[in-house]
Amino acid sequence: MPATEYDALKFHDGMVKAGLIVPVGVPGIFGRNHVFEDVLARFDAAVTRLATDDRADFFVFPPTIERRILEKVGYMDSFPQLAGTVHSFFGKELDARKLSERIHAGGAWGDAMAITDVSLNPAACYPLYPTLPGTVPSGGRVVTMLNWVFRHEPSPEPTRMQAFRVREYVACGPPEMVIRWRDTWLERGKHLLESLGLPAKADVASDPFFGKGGKMLAASQRELKLKFEVLVPVISRENPTACCSFNYHEAKFTDAFGIALPDGETAHTACLGFGLERCVMALFQEHGFDPGTWPGAVREKLWP
Ligand code: ZN
């Protein structure tokens, strides 16, 4: 039984009432309870089972990355509105006292802080690229990660979070290997969601590039079919939610970080990411807020 009539706020309030999420006062940030986390871990394990053939190296990176990565990949040109640079206080004793007074007086204090060398990570695969040079064999390499990412998109809509986890796979290798791998996963990802009773469909997509110039970048990304998403209705039937995203970067990251194959040939990369909270929410919306009542076939798949 669907949890709600595909309504964003009713779905949010339903999850809160069922105890699955705990609001903390800022839109897009909330706590998750043990039921939510159990479903998330089980879904993540189902992805791992699906990927056995990939023989991927597994890593976890912290939610902060070197700020230079954002600069090198042009993130601030394309998505400055989503960035979460980390700032700290570099002043002396007197400045600290002034800062404290301003805060206690309820004033603004952002200009007393200065940018640090780290930033919150906006894309699960970013921390990987600086580690790849010299590690990619001629047949290519696949790496998987489970990372927290940050996007500055405060919204009361529960699938639009400021911080969430992505189970990511990245392939780096000869272009034909990378494209074949991406196409295999597009099928696998859609099939996994369908096998969990979710009405998934794949579609060409584009990123939310900033400003007028961004519209052209998005159009060209669509035309070249560089981005696909697998979508599932969660808060709307007409505008289903992207639960899984597939990106072919061509040589964008290999050029930026000097990643080449052993024979010096060009390497390309592609990545795919399951938005874990969104996949969990899609399950709750489709089958109801109590996993104990979910269809047997879905339960067997997640709790084998
Ligand atoms: Zn990625």
Side-chain angles (χ1 to χ4, degrees):
M1 272 277 286
T4 69
E5 275 310 302
Y6 300 92
D7 177 274
L9 293 183
K10 278 191 191 142
F11 182 62
H12 172 268
D13 294 350
M15 284 196 293
V16 172
K17 200 160 165 253
L20 296 167
I21 62 168
V22 191
V24 297
V26 184
I29 309 272
F30 43 79
R32 290 88 163 138
N33 82 346
H34 70 282
V35 178
F36 192 106
E37 285 300 299
D38 186 34
V39 176
L40 188 141
R42 297 296 178 159
F43 181 84
D44 183 54
V47 174
T48 304
R49 286 196 293 279
L50 203 61
T52 317
D53 296 350
D54 280 28
R55 290 196 194 87
D57 297 317
F58 177 73
F59 293 102
V60 169
F61 286 93
T64 43
I65 60 169
E66 189 187 0
R67 168 163 54 89
R68 264 181 63 74
I69 297 177
L70 295 194
E71 296 164 2
K72 268 190 146 173
V73 306
Y75 193 83
M76 302 310 289
D77 310 323
S78 298
F79 313 107
Q81 80 281 20
L82 302 178
T85 44
V86 174
H87 289 63
S88 194
F89 177 71
F90 294 85
K92 298 259 177 0
E93 191 77 32
L94 184 62
D95 307 310
R97 232 177 299 143
K98 280 189 198 147
L99 171 67
S100 163
E101 279 163 20
R102 282 167 74 181
I103 292 173
H104 287 287
W109 51 280
D111 61 350
M113 307 294 281
I115 200 163
T116 67
D117 287 339
V118 294
S119 151
L120 297 178
N121 184 19
C125 56
Y126 280 10
L128 177 72
Y129 300 115
T131 75
L132 285 181
T135 73
V136 185
S138 52
R141 181 179 175 201
V142 179
V143 175
T144 182
M145 291 158 285
L146 174 49
N147 293 336
W148 279 93
V149 299
F150 172 87
R151 307 259 167 95
H152 182 239
E153 302 187 277
S155 163
E157 195 268 83
T159 65
R160 187 149 307 278
M161 290 156 276
Q162 297 207 63
F164 52 94
R165 278 159 289 178
V166 178
R167 179 66 192 274
E168 181 100 352
Y169 283 80
V170 179
C172 181
E176 58 284 358
M177 170 256 170
V178 165
I179 293 172
R180 208 179 330 116
W181 176 87
R182 190 270 319 263
D183 291 344
T184 308
W185 264 102
L186 197 52
E187 275 307 304
R188 273 184 188 169
K190 187 168 170 288
H191 185 254
L192 173 65
L193 295 169
E194 283 169 347
S195 74
L196 294 168
L198 302 173
K201 63 167 197 189
D203 205 355
V204 179
S206 60
D207 287 311
F209 294 102
F210 185 78
K212 283 198 193 100
K215 287 210 170 69
M216 277 161 60
L217 289 173
S220 127
Q221 192 184 26
R222 279 179 175 274
E223 200 177 298
L224 297 169
K225 294 197 162 89
L226 296 177
K227 186 182 188 75
F228 287 91
E229 287 171 342
V230 175
L231 307 127
V232 179
V234 182
I235 49 139
S236 158
R237 252 192 269 255
E238 298 74 39
N239 299 305
T241 300
C243 288
C244 190
S245 149
F246 303 76
N247 297 281
Y248 179 35
H249 318 118
E250 300 175 300
K252 177 178 169 169
F253 296 121
T254 49
D255 280 352
F257 293 97
I259 306 160
L261 298 175
D263 55 8
E265 285 294 302
T266 313
H268 280 189
T269 61
C271 73
L272 68 98
F274 288 90
L276 291 177
E277 277 84 357
R278 284 186 170 188
C279 292
V280 170
M281 288 183 197
L283 286 162
F284 284 127
Q285 168 56 35
E286 187 65 27
H287 304 307
F289 290 133
D290 176 5
T293 66
W294 289 1
V298 176
R299 290 195 52 86
E300 272 160 38
K301 186 105 194 155
L302 291 175
W303 289 268

